Amino acid sequence: MLNVKNINQYYGGSHILRDVSLQATPGKVTVILGRNGVGKTTLLATIMGLTTFHSGSIHLRGIPIESMPVHRRSRLGIGFVPQTRDIFASLTVEENLAVAARPGRWSLQRVYDLFPRLAERRSHMGNQISGGEQQMLAMGRALMGDPSLLLLDEPLEGLAPIIVDTLLAAIQRLSRDEALTVVLVEQSAKLALEVTDRVLVLNRGRIVFEGASAQLLSDPERLSELVVAG
């Protein structure tokens, strides 16, 4: 589904990503772990086309996309949920979803089935719902674009445990039942490893570990060496 090879990214004089490669398999969830400031968000932004591209290659289903603008990547099937969520505060929940709709398998009702709380809040404005509900809405809006690849940047940050459980269950359902490919950046390492298939760990812009999530989860000492475990 996604093949990122030897990506290098710079901000000013800082070399943020150093020869980073990533492969995301259809229907699987890959988590990117690492301490703050190691380039995790930059990697997602580069895949989405939100940064100035420097070197390397990005292929989606075999199609080179590194020179494509953001809107073309979106139309090819990449959905992106930023850490800031970026929902429309002046629109209702339902309007936030409807404005992103494209022909495909996702409808308002299917999003409401995935997140019943959104159905209950459908007439509320974007700034009248909780942070957890805003995160559900941001994910639902991305799904309304009918993506085949979903990029999630820190979706669990600052949320209550019951909301975290809801979001993790939704990610698993999207992978298992919808065959959606998910790439997830997360700080809560242990939680993320429990619900993902593959893991990459970044340190100082380089990949220092790549393998099965279960493998890293079963080695607490190695996990604590690599990341600040949640």
Side-chain angles (χ1 to χ4, degrees):
M1 177 61 66
L2 176 69
N3 189 355
V4 176
K5 188 173 182 181
N6 296 332
I7 289 293
N8 286 274
Q9 285 297 110
Y10 300 82
Y11 282 153
S14 300
H15 194 169
I16 305 299
L17 296 177
R18 301 169 181 265
D19 295 318
V20 171
S21 297
L22 160 69
Q23 290 185 331
T25 305
K28 301 296 183 182
V29 184
T30 299
V31 62
I32 303 168
L33 301 176
R35 295 175 172 86
N36 288 330
V38 299
K40 304 184 302 295
T41 292
T42 299
L43 179 54
L44 290 193
T46 300
I47 295 168
M48 193 67 227
L50 298 171
T51 62
T52 299
F53 191 77
H54 290 277
S55 66
S57 64
I58 308 172
H59 288 74
L60 181 70
R61 296 192 302 273
I63 301 170
I65 65 170
E66 61 268 9
S67 298
M68 289 185 182
V70 176
H71 70 274
R72 288 192 62 196
R73 300 186 198 207
S74 177
R75 289 174 184 170
L76 275 177
I78 303 180
F80 180 50
V81 180
Q83 190 175 6
T84 50
R85 299 167 189 156
D86 293 349
I87 64 170
F88 297 109
S90 61
L91 299 182
T92 67
V93 166
E94 190 149 303
E95 288 168 342
N96 265 278
L97 294 172
V99 76
R102 289 193 189 133
R105 52 185 176 164
W106 286 95
S107 62
L108 286 170
Q109 189 55 54
R110 293 203 68 205
V111 171
Y112 290 152
D113 288 343
L114 183 66
F115 295 122
R117 288 182 70 155
L118 294 183
E120 297 170 5
R121 307 291 196 274
R122 68 178 71 194
S123 62
H124 286 61
M125 307 302 288
N127 60 0
Q128 294 177 326
I129 59 177
S130 70
E133 290 161 351
Q134 288 180 3
Q135 186 63 61
M136 295 177 197
L137 180 55
M139 286 180 61
R141 186 180 60 183
L143 292 172
M144 290 293 288
D146 197 35
S148 53
L149 170 67
L150 186 61
L151 309 177
L152 302 174
D153 192 4
E154 301 275 11
L156 310 181
E157 184 182 23
L159 301 181
I162 190 171
I163 301 297
V164 168
D165 290 343
T166 298
L167 292 172
L168 290 176
I171 292 170
Q172 288 183 297
R173 178 176 167 184
L174 291 172
S175 170
R176 181 187 64 244
D177 299 341
E178 304 296 335
L180 190 64
T181 306
V182 180
V183 177
L184 165 72
V185 163
E186 188 47 59
Q187 285 291 334
S188 302
K190 290 181 180 178
L191 281 176
L193 290 172
E194 289 173 354
V195 300
T196 57
D197 301 288
R198 299 285 296 174
V199 56
L200 276 75
V201 181
L202 285 175
N203 186 24
R204 297 182 181 179
R206 297 186 184 276
I207 294 176
V208 294
F209 179 89
E210 181 177 5
S213 296
Q215 175 189 354
L216 189 55
L217 185 62
S218 67
D219 190 346
E221 184 175 347
R222 179 66 169 150
L223 177 60
S224 63
E225 289 175 359
L226 291 170
V227 296
V228 178

